Amino acid sequence: MLRPQDTVSRERRSLNGLWQFSLDAEGVGRTEGWWNRPLASAREIPVPASYNDIFADAKVRDHVGDVWYQTQFRVPSRWAGERIVLRFDSATHRAVAWVDGTQIVEHEGGYTPFEADVTDVVEPGAENRVTVVVNNVLTWQSIPPGYVEETPEGRRQFYFHDFFNYAGLHRTVWLYTTPTSYVSDVTVVTGLSGSTGTVNYRVETVGAEGSEVRVALRDAEGAEVARATGSSGELSVEDVHPWRPGEGYLYDLTVELWGTGEAPIDVYSLGVGVRTVQVDGARFLINGEPFYFRGFGKHEDSVVRGKGYDNAYMVHDFVLMEWLGANSFRTSHYPYAEEVLDYADRHGIVVIDETPAVGLNTGIGGGIFGGKPMKTFSEETVNAATQDVHRQAIRELVARDKNHPSVVIWSIANEPESDTPESRAYFEPLAAEARRLDPSRPVGFVNVMLAPADKDVVSDLFDVLMLNRYYGWYVNSGDLANAERALEAELQAWVKKHGKPIIFTEYGADTIAGLHSVTPIPWTEEYQADLLEMTHRVFDRVDAVVGEQIWAFADFATGFAIFRVDGNKKGVFTRDRRPKAAAHLLRRRWQRLP
Ligand code: GCB
């Protein structure tokens, strides 16, 4: 799915700003047709942002159900005759949108874009009203899953993941144009052979019978290095300048649609990084060279905005990662804003790209913390309908992110149940689907500590092993000597069983910034640093470990739990991005590693 662009044939404008917002506490908006008129008793709300922390109002923060957004926009009269599209970069977790009285689109899933052709609905030159109902309910058939309980005080949402269920219009809303004959999709797959690069491309068009696709590839200085005609083909680049970790070199692929006129009908341009990704035994290769991931699991999370996209936080987070010497991160636990991947492409940061499939595991926490014992996979819980939604989430992730050179692995789930026949039956078709959609990238899922090598029954379906482990924290708590032995023993079992590259996608310790101790006491800054050092000693002894991504980049908001004080504190930075002692330790280590 192509991002909106300004080109000679296209124009876009963002509808970001202050919108009207109404909470639908009684759940009556859909039957009362709230889209037909200005929202009653509305407040102003920023878009993009999560709505939860904007108001000093628990009813908004903890709301379960529908909220309504509305704004007015004017379509420039010069857009008459163009195809006009309204696009939402995301609406968490599902939405229906109307322009004036007409429903234009609905979408399931909180972290991927959706759009509607509104050419016949809007009036160029006139004011039009857009209304969106956004729903935050998590069910057994949503990704991520959850369930709702009715209480005398109203509905309560439960879920199995460890971050706050922020909701709303989290990313940009665009109004944009294309010509009526237009480029609807572009797919590139790149290759390298010696000093020659290849760019295999495929262009899809709509309404373009009788027209011709022409593509041209230019280097970063703007010099043309290859061109071709036809909707698919392969471009070859002599003396190629590859995209590589630490150096986000991008070519520009300009796609043009030509009719009989003097100028192209449509023009779209795409940044292309020429690079290869491959798994070879226990090595992870980028451009044929072994790559070692160092970085973080992150969240889109900041004060007030919640999961609302913010340029300042985005750039600052990258700058802090660079300051530490990190070269990669995982989009735990959902696809991030496309601006993030564009930045990673330009700066040579390597990304593990994850679906929102987090919490498909009732075994975590459940019994101990008062949750009801229940099966993960059953007719009543995660079932075939959930699997369909999950499959669709994989499709939308790949469709959106397939052209980003920074993305090197598809992670199709975080810590699902993976030690039962039901889990294998659930994941086998999903792994196959991810591979079918994109044979050019390794596919993985993130394994939970409850399913070590001797219990796991799904890892053979995947190309890499991604492990989340909390030795020294959730197990061997406060006992780093035993933690070190246990971690190494577990790792050796994986090496023996699979011989695949192992990336540690999580390890770490909750740490209160400013809490210090001369002895190694959990929750102190010193303990976090000691735990990381212990874990790194083990990694350095095991060749198959090809990556270390600490949990987490920064402290973040969670739902209430008796082991969470104002959120999860495993950040190497605080929520407002101040470094804990561990940051300095990582900086010393990562600047030393090749
Ligand atoms: C995990 C999860 C992550 C949690 C983390 C923790 O395994 O993948 O979402 O936040 O542990 O801190 O418990």
Side-chain angles (χ1 to χ4, degrees):
M1 189 182 201
L2 297 179
R3 289 195 76 194
Q5 240 178 38
D6 284 308
T7 72
V8 292
S9 59
R10 295 169 174 236
E11 204 174 330
R12 61 175 186 172
R13 45 160 66 178
S14 122
L15 297 188
N16 293 351
L18 293 177
W19 289 44
Q20 299 296 307
F21 174 84
S22 282
L23 199 72
D24 191 353
E26 310 301 323
V28 295
R30 295 185 199 230
T31 43
E32 291 180 357
W34 283 10
W35 60 89
N36 284 315
R37 52 186 174 271
L39 291 176
S41 53
R43 328 186 207 197
E44 289 186 76
I45 191 154
V47 172
S50 299
Y51 59 74
N52 309 75
D53 290 345
I54 299 294
F55 308 104
D57 187 345
K59 286 202 177 65
V60 176
R61 183 172 161 87
D62 301 328
H63 177 65
V64 182
D66 287 345
V67 299
W68 293 75
Y69 285 77
Q70 195 173 67
T71 197
Q72 301 278 125
F73 61 92
R74 191 180 288 277
V75 175
S77 34
R78 68 174 183 281
W79 283 11
E82 299 296 304
R83 173 176 167 264
I84 302 169
V85 183
L86 185 61
R87 164 169 160 138
F88 298 84
D89 278 358
S90 76
T92 313
H93 294 282
R94 65 189 61 76
V96 184
W98 293 261
V99 168
D100 298 322
T102 310
Q103 181 179 323
I104 54 159
V105 70
E106 61 182 302
H107 183 257
E108 172 71 28
Y111 305 94
T112 40
F114 55 98
E115 61 181 30
D117 182 334
V118 293
T119 318
D120 295 336
V121 193
V122 295
E123 208 183 311
E127 282 252 298
N128 302 270
R129 184 178 61 233
V130 58
T131 309
V132 192
V133 59
V134 180
N135 178 277
N136 69 346
V137 174
L138 298 175
T139 70
W140 287 109
Q141 276 65 56
S142 65
I143 291 291
Y147 62 94
V148 172
E149 271 184 10
E150 299 292 340
T151 76
E153 288 70 44
R155 301 207 283 174
R156 271 198 73 189
Q157 175 75 65
F158 293 85
Y159 43 90
F160 309 96
H161 53 270
D162 182 37
F163 53 94
F164 189 78
N165 188 31
Y166 280 119
L169 295 179
H170 283 152
R171 298 175 190 163
T172 295
V173 182
W174 299 101
L175 192 64
Y176 74 94
T177 69
T178 73
T180 49
S181 302
Y182 62 99
V183 173
S184 57
D185 201 10
V186 184
T187 308
V188 296
V189 177
T190 62
L192 281 172
S193 162
S195 59
T196 305
T198 50
V199 178
N200 203 291
Y201 73 90
R202 198 176 67 243
V203 176
E204 274 155 48
T205 56
V206 172
E209 294 74 28
S211 24
E212 184 179 78
V213 171
R214 298 182 195 166
V215 301
L217 193 71
R218 292 189 182 77
D219 67 17
E221 281 74 51
E224 186 176 301
V225 295
R227 71 164 38 242
T229 308
S231 57
S232 63
E234 186 163 277
L235 303 170
S236 171
V237 190
E238 301 302 322
D239 290 323
V240 69
H241 192 144
W243 185 97
R244 57 168 76 93
E247 195 199 357
Y249 190 92
L250 294 178
Y251 289 86
D252 171 77
L253 181 75
T254 301
V255 178
E256 295 176 345
L257 189 62
W258 282 81
T260 48
E262 300 274 285
I265 304 167
D266 191 17
V267 178
Y268 193 85
S269 108
L270 187 75
V272 174
V274 181
R275 59 105 183 92
T276 61
V277 180
Q278 226 181 315
V279 167
D280 174 36
R283 299 188 310 162
F284 192 91
L285 307 178
I286 298 183
N287 302 341
E289 296 185 359
F291 178 69
Y292 191 90
F293 297 76
R294 38 178 209 261
F296 296 96
K298 289 186 90 245
H299 267 297
E300 291 189 311
D301 175 273
S302 64
V303 283
V304 185
R305 302 160 184 78
K307 295 204 171 307
Y309 174 74
D310 181 279
N311 275 321
Y313 268 99
M314 194 270 285
V315 173
H316 190 55
D317 283 4
F318 274 107
V319 166
L320 291 178
M321 286 197 278
E322 188 191 348
W323 176 73
L324 290 169
N327 62 11
S328 67
F329 66 95
R330 174 170 61 119
T331 71
S332 40
H333 296 306
Y334 36 81
Y336 288 4
E338 285 169 88
E339 288 87 342
V340 177
L341 296 180
D342 285 343
Y343 189 101
D345 288 347
R346 290 193 301 274
H347 295 261
I349 306 295
V350 172
V351 177
I352 300 175
D353 205 3
E354 191 157 278
T355 71
V358 51
L360 281 77
N361 198 333
T362 55
I364 304 176
I368 313 173
F369 300 110
K372 291 187 283 188
M374 43 195 153
K375 287 187 159 185
T376 302
F377 300 101
S378 74
E379 281 305 310
E380 294 73 41
T381 54
V382 175
N383 60 19
T386 320
Q387 194 188 32
D388 285 343
V389 178
H390 193 162
R391 187 181 291 107
Q392 181 62 17
I394 296 171
R395 287 182 183 154
E396 291 187 21
L397 176 73
V398 176
R400 194 194 73 163
D401 293 348
K402 62 188 173 185
N403 294 324
H404 287 285
S406 55
V407 173
V408 301
I409 296 175
W410 301 116
S411 167
I412 69 166
N414 179 70
E415 297 195 344
E417 181 175 304
S418 55
D419 55 354
T420 52
E422 292 82 358
S423 53
R424 187 173 177 89
Y426 181 90
F427 278 104
E428 199 158 9
L430 295 184
E433 178 67 359
R435 250 184 247 300
R436 183 187 71 79
L437 292 166
D438 181 10
S440 80
R441 286 181 181 85
V443 178
F445 82 103
V446 172
N447 167 285
V448 66
M449 196 147 185
L450 298 172
D454 59 334
K455 297 214 174 85
D456 164 272
V457 294
V458 305
S459 287
D460 63 297
L461 302 169
F462 295 90
D463 304 302
V464 290
L465 296 169
M466 296 190 281
L467 308 181
N468 290 352
R469 291 298 180 269
Y470 286 95
Y471 290 100
W473 188 254
Y474 292 123
V475 295
N476 307 119
S477 317
D479 176 0
L480 293 179
N482 268 315
E484 185 161 354
R485 280 188 287 274
L487 169 61
E488 187 152 8
E490 198 205 326
L491 252 177
Q492 294 302 353
W494 282 107
V495 171
K496 211 159 140 208
K497 184 163 173 199
H498 286 290
K500 296 182 185 183
I502 300 173
I503 301 161
F504 273 78
T505 34
E506 289 184 24
Y507 57 105
D510 281 278
T511 304
I512 302 294
L515 189 66
H516 293 286
S517 168
V518 291
T519 56
I521 293 177
W523 294 93
T524 62
E525 293 197 29
E526 287 77 12
Y527 187 79
Q528 183 184 37
D530 286 354
L531 183 145
L532 297 183
E533 253 185 337
M534 172 284 285
T535 313
H536 296 154
R537 274 199 300 277
V538 177
F539 294 168
D540 291 346
R541 294 197 289 264
V542 181
D543 286 345
V545 174
V546 300
E548 51 191 58
Q549 294 189 330
I550 290 146
W551 191 254
F553 173 75
D555 295 346
F556 57 91
T558 65
F560 169 76
I562 52 168
F563 50 97
R564 294 281 174 263
V565 185
D566 187 34
N568 186 308
K569 299 287 188 224
K570 294 193 186 70
V572 163
F573 294 92
T574 58
R575 202 176 184 209
D576 61 352
R577 276 54 171 178
R578 293 167 194 244
K580 301 179 190 172
H584 299 282
L585 170 123
L586 290 175
R587 193 158 187 260
R588 285 193 294 277
R589 173 174 170 83
W590 287 349
Q591 302 210 328
R592 232 185 331 109
L593 290 179

